[in-house]
Amino acid sequence: MKFHFYKICSFFVLSISVCYAISIPPNKSIPATFVFGDSIVDTGNNNGLKTIAKVNYPPYGKDFMGGIPTGRFSNGKVPSDFLVEELGIKELLPAFLDPTLQAEDLITGVNFASGGAGYDPLTSELAKVISLDGQVILFKEYIVKLTELVGEDRKNEILANSLYMLVTGANDITNTYFGMPLRKSYYDVPSYADLLVNFASSFVQDLYSLGARRIGLFGIPPIGCLPSQRTLKGGEARQCVDNLNQAAQLFNSKLEAYSSSQGNKLPNSRLVYVDTYNVLLDVIDNPQRYGFKISDKGCCGTGKIEIAELCTYTCSSDSDYIFWDSFHLTEKAYRLLVHQILVQHLNGFF
């Protein structure tokens, strides 16, 4: 069997460049990538919103092209960018709401994610950001524009063969469930996880009805090991917070089970669960193995609690850090994780 190869590179210890070939089956293609979710993947959709969940100001973006803050919640590129870069589609995945968005970018994919969003509509409402339902509405607007640009047949071909990635859930557990009493008074952790999976299911059904066929659902990372959660709930030693990690793992197991069962019920579709929990936890537990020095603090501010406007100063060497602020990773860490994810999961979409 012949394969098409996309060359992707990652940078590991001692700045050694290691390149791998990702194989894509013959007669298959990935014309575009579409990303939905929260601040892990938002590339600037929140910039025009009246919300505190936006970072279109320094020091965010200090290592981005020209040191320009674009609304990405990191010092540079975020996973959305690395997905399209490593697949050879384009260098960056622009925000759909970017006022400078070019028509040609519509053909190869755009980003609908909104920092602060979650599966739970209450999560997005509290943060005053774009909910998953709102992101689907934007996707419908995108389809109209794409059809005007390339015609009905080409539009259908692009939608059916592209990758769709949903990256969210951390805000639901850290902020909406454990951060306030409303949901906890009605749900225990297992039933809240079920509620989130139900929202995920509705989202998948919406995307499928609009023509999506290759859909990736990202699991929640080890949120108990985020610097902010260590500081708030990890005691004097700032340990990883077990109940947060256990909640993430429980949700992930339910999301994975849903992906396995539902994928067989959607004709001609590939529904893939993407494990981010174990990949990131290994990096946090073994930072030096991956070329990092500090795994329990972020680069900005004290590294223990700062995020967004609280990030008024930064460390001297962000390449030593896994975390950029107390919630989000550095560009270097995101590059590594996306590479690992593509190696492990890309073939599942075919």
Side-chain angles (χ1 to χ4, degrees):
M1 178 179 287
K2 294 181 180 179
F3 291 89
H4 303 296
F5 293 96
Y6 288 85
K7 186 176 170 185
I8 64 179
C9 303
S10 262
F11 296 90
F12 290 93
V13 183
L14 303 178
S15 299
I16 297 173
S17 177
V18 182
C19 295
Y20 298 86
I22 292 293
S23 60
I24 294 179
N27 303 317
K28 301 292 183 181
S29 66
I30 304 175
T33 296
F34 303 97
V35 174
F36 304 80
D38 58 27
S39 59
I40 295 173
V41 286
D42 185 359
T43 54
N45 282 310
N46 280 12
N47 291 352
L49 302 183
K50 293 181 179 180
T51 175
I52 61 171
K54 57 183 175 183
V55 290
N56 54 339
Y57 45 78
Y60 287 85
K62 80 178 196 65
D63 297 315
F64 196 73
M65 302 170 182
I68 299 172
T70 60
R72 289 166 168 83
F73 288 73
S74 186
N75 58 306
K77 293 181 180 180
V78 294
S80 312
D81 302 312
F82 290 124
L83 282 169
V84 293
E85 176 188 315
E86 297 201 1
L87 290 171
I89 297 173
K90 52 188 174 184
E91 190 170 6
L92 302 171
L93 189 68
F96 180 64
L97 296 181
D98 183 346
T100 67
L101 184 69
Q102 301 298 305
E104 57 265 27
D105 275 319
L106 297 175
I107 300 173
T108 50
V110 289
N111 190 338
F112 302 95
S114 179
Y119 287 109
D120 187 343
L122 179 60
T123 301
S124 303
E125 181 182 340
L126 291 170
K128 298 182 179 178
V129 298
I130 308 167
S131 66
L132 288 188
D133 284 346
Q135 293 177 37
V136 170
I137 290 172
L138 292 179
F139 182 52
K140 290 178 180 179
E141 293 178 14
Y142 160 82
I143 292 174
V144 172
K145 293 183 177 182
L146 181 65
T147 306
E148 293 172 349
L149 193 62
V150 302
E152 185 74 17
D153 291 344
R154 177 62 179 148
K155 177 264 293 185
N156 290 335
E157 183 182 346
I158 291 172
L159 295 183
N161 290 291
S162 296
L163 292 186
Y164 300 79
M165 301 296 192
L166 174 58
V167 184
T168 195
N171 296 318
D172 295 312
I173 293 178
T174 58
N175 301 337
T176 306
Y177 188 79
F178 284 105
M180 58 184 303
L182 185 58
R183 290 304 194 209
K184 286 183 75 173
S185 63
Y186 288 96
Y187 301 93
D188 59 12
V189 172
S191 59
Y192 188 63
D194 288 334
L195 179 69
L196 297 183
V197 172
N198 287 338
F199 286 130
S201 175
S202 295
F203 178 83
V204 168
Q205 294 285 351
D206 287 342
L207 279 192
Y208 183 83
S209 69
L210 293 169
R213 293 296 179 266
R214 298 172 177 168
I215 303 171
L217 300 176
F218 281 54
I220 297 175
I223 49 179
C225 297
L226 298 176
S228 60
Q229 302 309 308
R230 288 176 183 262
T231 301
L232 294 170
K233 302 174 182 177
E236 226 175 288
R238 298 185 64 252
Q239 299 294 319
C240 290
V241 184
D242 287 342
N243 68 328
L244 289 176
N245 281 348
Q246 288 164 4
Q249 288 176 296
L250 177 63
F251 168 77
N252 290 344
S253 66
K254 291 175 180 289
L255 186 67
E256 184 175 17
Y258 160 76
S259 301
S260 298
S261 63
Q262 188 66 22
N264 299 323
K265 299 175 184 177
L266 299 174
N268 303 312
S269 73
R270 303 292 287 181
L271 188 57
V272 178
Y273 169 76
V274 178
D275 172 32
T276 59
Y277 185 97
N278 292 297
V279 175
L280 180 54
L281 186 62
D282 191 53
V283 178
I284 292 171
D285 287 344
N286 304 283
Q288 292 185 345
R289 180 188 300 171
Y290 295 95
F292 299 100
K293 294 180 181 179
I294 300 167
S295 63
D296 64 345
K297 294 188 296 184
C299 171
C300 83
T302 64
K304 296 179 180 180
I305 197 67
E306 291 88 345
I307 186 173
E309 293 182 350
L310 297 177
C311 284
T312 56
Y313 64 94
T314 67
C315 63
S316 59
S317 179
D318 52 47
S319 63
D320 291 338
Y321 288 74
I322 295 171
F323 291 94
W324 164 246
D325 59 23
S326 68
F327 201 93
H328 306 95
L329 307 189
T330 56
E331 177 183 75
K332 177 182 174 182
Y334 278 141
R335 179 186 292 275
L336 171 64
L337 291 186
V338 169
H339 172 75
Q340 301 266 43
I341 285 167
L342 286 174
V343 169
Q344 292 177 19
H345 297 288
L346 184 60
N347 285 341
F349 291 97
F350 299 97

